[in-house]
Amino acid sequence: MSAAPDPNRSPIPRRTWATLLVAAATVTTAGATGLLSPDDAAADAARPVHALQDELDALVADDGFPGALAAVRGTGGRVHHLTAGVGDLTTGEPVPVDGEVRIASNTKTFVATVVLQLAEEGLVDLDAPIETYFPGLIRGPGGDGNAITVRHLLQHTSGLPDYDDVVVADYLAVQHRYVEPHQLLDIALARPASFAPDTGWEYSNTNYVLAGLLVQEVTGRPIGAEITTRIVEPLDLDDTYWPHEGEQELRGDHPHGYYASEPEAEYADVTVQDPAFGWAAGQLVASPGDLLDFFTALVDGELLGPAMLAEMQSTVPAPGSAASGDEAYGLGLQTFTLSCGGTAWTHGGDIPGYETRGAVTEDGRGVMVAVTALPTAVEQIVHVEDVVDVALYE
């Protein structure tokens, strides 16, 4: 079962919304990678599948999420897919197994990976000021491009102010609105900087809007195309894609995503939305299984060489980065401290309609969990993170 909430845990992140609802639970398991002996298969399945299903059911029955879905891999390599709740509150249809969800800020890890690949190719210098690539772009109260480096962007140590609380102050009013990345920068840079570069840590979507523009500047190609050719296609992530400009509907099987502005308010179906407010900070769509494959391949060294992976995993303290306690943040990758001891690697994402949490270990274990509404209480966030911990518990 989930651990009791710690009263000293961080407050609810400001970029989460949503509400509660109770629904029925279902379970499916599917898929295997590699060959397993009967003993390996039994050990691989026992705790992750049964304990994880109980936790998913509790997210629906106790925390009120409409639906939940997960992909979990044990040390034997076998992947199980589980679901709970309903995928459509109107029809009562079940949550599709390994359905597509909006993965929000997990997009940042994809973008950071591309930037680090470009650094390996000599096209980006992690310690060069942003002014090198965008002369005169970063000026004003929000920051100075001469003092902010590429590393600061990827690490959230730039001090650049965020824009998201401004653009989602009335989310339903902008649900279908398209914006350009430079409009997001204009909103952010009109605000005062949070701190001088490299003197603090604060999560800011603005950092990754700039990182996406950097990729486009040095490659001459759209950030979505670079993510596709460098990551999605090589890893055969069939359910992962960058939505086209103006694309609002999800392409494949998916659970509906729901939004409410306050607890106990009636849900609005926000499955159809324009993700442009996320852009390189949060626009991608993927299934839990694809997300698990991506993080596993990344940590296993399939996407970056040893030196650059070490750069990515070189962390700084990141206060308030998780509901279950402070973690450390690298270059688009965050630690996840396991209750059984040790550390896994993660990111996470929040967008109206969906929250995703997961982690992978260096011995090949991993889990990705999605719920179809965002929490309004810190206990709910903790419970989603606890599901990840249970799946990786040894």
Side-chain angles (χ1 to χ4, degrees):
M1 297 299 292
S2 299
D6 183 339
N8 296 317
R9 294 183 195 273
S10 304
I12 184 169
R14 63 180 174 81
R15 57 186 182 278
T16 59
W17 301 268
T19 85
L20 310 174
L21 189 73
V22 176
T26 60
V27 57
T28 58
T29 63
T33 57
L35 298 176
L36 302 174
S37 71
D39 288 343
D40 285 340
D44 203 32
R47 183 172 180 90
V49 173
H50 298 305
L52 183 58
Q53 184 61 52
D54 290 344
E55 295 289 324
L56 289 183
D57 292 345
L59 290 179
V60 172
D62 299 337
D63 289 296
F65 294 107
L69 56 165
V72 58
R73 177 188 288 115
T75 52
R78 185 169 183 172
V79 177
H80 296 271
H81 298 288
L82 302 93
T83 67
V86 295
D88 187 330
L89 292 175
T90 301
T91 66
E93 292 180 3
V95 176
V97 176
D98 203 30
E100 292 177 354
V101 297
R102 300 186 187 277
I103 64 171
S105 286
N106 289 293
T107 302
K108 294 179 174 68
T109 312
F110 286 77
V111 172
T113 301
V114 172
V115 173
L116 293 173
Q117 288 177 343
L118 294 171
E120 286 183 321
E121 296 163 17
L123 296 176
V124 169
D125 180 350
L126 293 178
D127 295 309
I130 290 303
E131 187 75 9
T132 303
Y133 305 98
F134 300 110
L137 178 63
I138 308 302
R139 291 289 189 275
D144 182 353
N146 290 293
I148 297 169
T149 68
V150 176
R151 185 185 303 274
H152 293 151
L153 297 182
L154 300 184
Q155 199 175 55
H156 292 300
T157 53
S158 70
L160 287 170
D162 209 343
Y163 63 80
D164 69 338
D165 59 334
V166 174
V167 299
V168 299
D170 183 3
Y171 172 69
L172 295 179
V174 299
Q175 176 183 348
H176 303 294
R177 181 173 178 175
Y178 173 78
V179 293
E180 294 282 355
H182 281 277
Q183 291 178 279
L184 301 176
L185 285 184
D186 289 343
I187 294 170
L189 295 177
R191 314 177 85 184
S194 298
F195 48 81
D198 206 30
T199 64
W201 185 91
E202 184 176 272
Y203 192 93
S204 175
N205 291 291
T206 309
N207 290 315
Y208 276 79
V209 171
L210 266 172
L213 290 172
L214 172 64
V215 171
Q216 297 187 161
E217 178 68 19
V218 301
T219 65
R221 298 294 302 156
I223 178 61
E226 288 297 304
I227 288 172
T228 300
T229 57
R230 290 171 174 271
I231 300 174
V232 175
E233 291 176 348
L235 295 181
D236 294 323
L237 304 179
D238 294 334
D239 297 312
T240 301
Y241 64 91
W242 180 271
H244 299 311
E245 184 175 296
E247 183 177 4
Q248 298 195 68
E249 296 185 358
L250 298 176
R251 299 176 189 174
D253 291 340
H254 59 272
H256 286 232
Y258 297 94
Y259 169 84
S261 58
E262 58 186 18
E264 308 304 329
E266 185 176 353
Y267 273 120
D269 189 325
V270 294
T271 313
V272 178
Q273 61 178 275
D274 196 312
F277 284 109
W279 199 61
Q283 183 163 313
L284 279 172
V285 173
S287 65
D290 271 9
L291 201 54
L292 177 58
D293 286 346
F294 163 67
F295 275 95
T296 301
L298 178 62
V299 172
D300 198 39
E302 294 182 35
L303 296 171
L304 296 171
M308 206 56 68
L309 181 58
E311 293 273 15
M312 190 179 218
Q313 294 177 321
S314 178
T315 62
V316 297
S321 55
S324 50
D326 294 343
E327 295 288 352
Y329 200 94
L331 305 183
L333 200 60
Q334 183 173 303
T335 61
F336 186 96
T337 303
L338 301 170
S339 63
C340 59
T343 300
W345 294 100
T346 187
H347 198 281
D350 300 273
I351 190 170
Y354 304 95
E355 177 175 86
T356 49
R357 292 291 186 271
V360 298
T361 65
E362 294 182 353
D363 66 2
R365 292 175 293 132
V367 63
M368 291 294 156
V369 178
V371 291
T372 58
L374 292 177
T376 54
V378 65
E379 290 82 5
Q380 293 171 282
I381 307 173
V382 170
H383 292 162
V384 177
E385 292 179 1
D386 283 346
V387 174
V388 177
D389 187 61
V390 166
L392 297 179
Y393 188 89
E394 282 192 319

